[in-house]
Amino acid sequence: MTLVPLQAGLTLAPAIVVLLVLAVAIITVYSAVEIVNAYEKRALTVLGDYRKLLEPGINFVPPFVNNTYPFDMRTQTLDVPRQEAITRDNSPVTADAVVYIKVMDAKKAFLEVDDYKRAVSNLAQTTLRAVLGDMDLDDTLSKRSEINGRIRKELDEPTDEWGVRVESVEVREVNPSADVQQAMEQQTSAERRRRAMILEAQGERRSAVESAEGEKQSNIIRAQGEKQSQILEAQGDAVSTVLRAKSAESMGERAVIDKGMETLESIGQGESTTFVLPQELSSMLGRYGKHLTGSDVREDGQDLDSLDFDEETRELIGLDDIDEIIGNIDEDAELDIEAMEQEAEAIKTGEATGDIQDPDQVIAEMDEPSGTTSDTGGTERPEGTETGSTEESEVESEPN
């Protein structure tokens, strides 16, 4: 009865041993194999002694007596807590930043520093306060890139000894105290009001200048129009005088002859049979026959006077240039006075200030063609009038 359990126990013992050996083997293999991710490296220590860095992949290490410490080889972000600092001009400010680091040498990061992340973060905090303390308030608010560069430069040397590289430092916010912010807002508001007043004053000044310039141009154009009008009026008077003189010349002879014939008719109607004829009767009859036939007959060896002006007088008073003068008057009369007024009004209101020319240039351009016409009209009018009057005097005095 006692032999059966003993034999059963002896039969189960080898199975237990096998199971124990298998379990130990599995644990040993698991402890001896170290799998490293692709983005990291691990420091291996055996019995507390540093051995090597385990590369990404499957690594075999001494079982049961090893320890590994992972290091992320990617760029890592460290938030620098908000720091309070006093600027060089004694203004309190608060600032926070972000530091981007990357482990370049995992062995140094393992052996030279306890916790490289905490070390870099603490160093960045103290450096941020020191940099802000060396700058004025206005510089801390405006020279953000300079702050970033100085912090990075201060972090480079100590972090190189730790096998860590500071890739970038970015200051996120720099905020002055509430009192300073209120004073800055008041200063900004005052500056904006000052600029607005300056701009308004400049606008009013420019508007006044443009209005004065437009008024000046309008006066110039209006004066030029009046000048052209006076020139045309003078030319019209000159032509009218010439035409009246020409008409008086052609009608003078006929009037004398008609008057003489009326006198003869009244003499013939008298009762007397004896008539005393003046010496000029034959000359008057010759003039009348010439007037009727339109011929130039020689009488007493002398030519009859022409009904027209002589060549010198016609050239002097410009009778041959009547058509040309009238044509020039028509061309000058075609000036668009309404368009000129509209242009002047546009210049006055400032709508056409871009096309405003220099007043002296406008006067020079408008005087160039009109000056010749003015001189011609001024020459023709007095001389034509004076010549016409002289000729009329000669014609009227001829019958006597």
Side-chain angles (χ1 to χ4, degrees), residues 27 85 125 139 167 205 211 246 269 286 296 316 334 346 374 378:
I27 294 174
Q125 295 176 31
D139 293 339
E167 294 187 341
R205 176 187 175 187
S211 298
K246 184 177 180 181
Q269 292 176 358
D296 287 338
L316 182 62
E334 292 177 357
S374 177

Coordinates of all heavy atoms in Angstrom, one line a residue, residues 27 85 125 139 167 205 211 246 269 286 296 316 334 346 374 378:
I27 N 13.4 32.4 -19.3 CA 13.7 33.6 -18.6 C 15.1 34.1 -18.9 O 15.4 35.3 -19.1 CB 13.6 33.4 -17.1 CG1 12.1 33.1 -16.7 CG2 14.1 34.6 -16.3 CD1 11.9 32.7 -15.2
A85 N 11.5 88.4 -14.4 CA 12.8 89.0 -14.5 C 12.6 90.5 -14.4 O 11.5 91.1 -14.7 CB 13.5 88.7 -15.8
Q125 N 16.1 78.2 -18.0 CA 15.4 79.2 -17.1 C 16.3 80.3 -16.6 O 16.0 81.5 -16.7 CB 14.8 78.4 -15.9 CG 13.7 77.4 -16.3 CD 13.1 76.7 -15.2 OE1 13.1 77.2 -14.0 NE2 12.7 75.4 -15.4
D139 N 13.6 96.7 -25.7 CA 14.4 95.7 -26.5 C 13.8 94.3 -26.2 O 13.7 93.5 -27.1 CB 15.8 95.7 -26.1 CG 16.5 97.0 -26.5 OD1 16.0 97.7 -27.4 OD2 17.6 97.4 -25.9
E167 N 19.2 72.8 -30.6 CA 18.9 73.2 -32.0 C 18.3 74.6 -32.2 O 18.5 75.3 -33.1 CB 18.1 72.1 -32.7 CG 18.8 70.8 -32.8 CD 18.0 69.8 -33.6 OE1 16.7 70.0 -33.7 OE2 18.5 68.8 -34.0
R205 N -3.5 121.0 -45.4 CA -2.5 121.9 -46.1 C -2.5 121.5 -47.6 O -2.5 122.4 -48.5 CB -1.1 121.6 -45.5 CG 0.0 122.4 -46.3 CD 1.3 122.0 -45.7 NE 2.4 122.6 -46.4 CZ 3.7 122.3 -46.3 NH1 4.0 121.4 -45.3 NH2 4.6 122.9 -47.0
S211 N -6.4 123.7 -53.9 CA -7.4 124.6 -54.2 C -6.9 125.9 -54.7 O -7.4 126.5 -55.7 CB -8.3 124.9 -52.9 OG -8.9 123.7 -52.5
K246 N -13.4 150.5 -97.9 CA -13.5 150.0 -99.3 C -14.9 150.4 -99.9 O -15.0 150.8 -101.0 CB -13.3 148.5 -99.3 CG -13.3 147.9 -100.7 CD -13.1 146.4 -100.7 CE -13.1 145.9 -102.1 NZ -12.8 144.4 -102.1
Q269 N -34.6 172.2 -116.0 CA -36.0 172.5 -115.8 C -36.3 174.0 -115.5 O -37.4 174.4 -115.4 CB -36.5 171.7 -114.5 CG -36.5 170.2 -114.8 CD -36.9 169.4 -113.5 OE1 -37.1 170.0 -112.5 NE2 -37.0 168.1 -113.7
G286 N -17.5 162.8 -118.2 CA -16.5 161.7 -118.5 C -16.6 160.7 -117.4 O -16.5 159.5 -117.6
D296 N -11.8 152.6 -118.7 CA -10.8 153.6 -118.3 C -10.4 154.3 -119.5 O -9.5 153.8 -120.3 CB -9.6 153.0 -117.5 CG -10.0 152.5 -116.2 OD1 -11.0 153.0 -115.6 OD2 -9.3 151.6 -115.6
L316 N -0.9 148.1 -97.5 CA -0.8 148.7 -96.1 C -1.9 148.3 -95.2 O -1.7 147.9 -94.1 CB -0.7 150.2 -96.2 CG -0.4 151.0 -94.9 CD1 0.8 150.5 -94.3 CD2 -0.5 152.5 -95.2
E334 N -13.5 129.2 -82.9 CA -13.9 127.8 -82.7 C -13.3 127.3 -81.3 O -13.4 126.1 -81.0 CB -13.3 126.8 -83.7 CG -14.0 127.1 -85.1 CD -13.4 126.2 -86.2 OE1 -12.4 125.5 -85.9 OE2 -13.9 126.2 -87.3
A346 N -12.7 121.8 -62.9 CA -12.1 120.5 -62.5 C -10.8 120.7 -61.8 O -10.5 120.1 -60.7 CB -11.9 119.6 -63.7
S374 N -2.4 138.9 -82.4 CA -2.6 140.1 -81.7 C -1.8 141.3 -82.3 O -2.3 142.3 -82.5 CB -2.2 140.0 -80.2 OG -2.3 141.2 -79.6
G378 N -3.5 144.3 -84.2 CA -3.1 145.7 -83.7 C -2.6 146.5 -84.8 O -2.7 147.7 -84.8

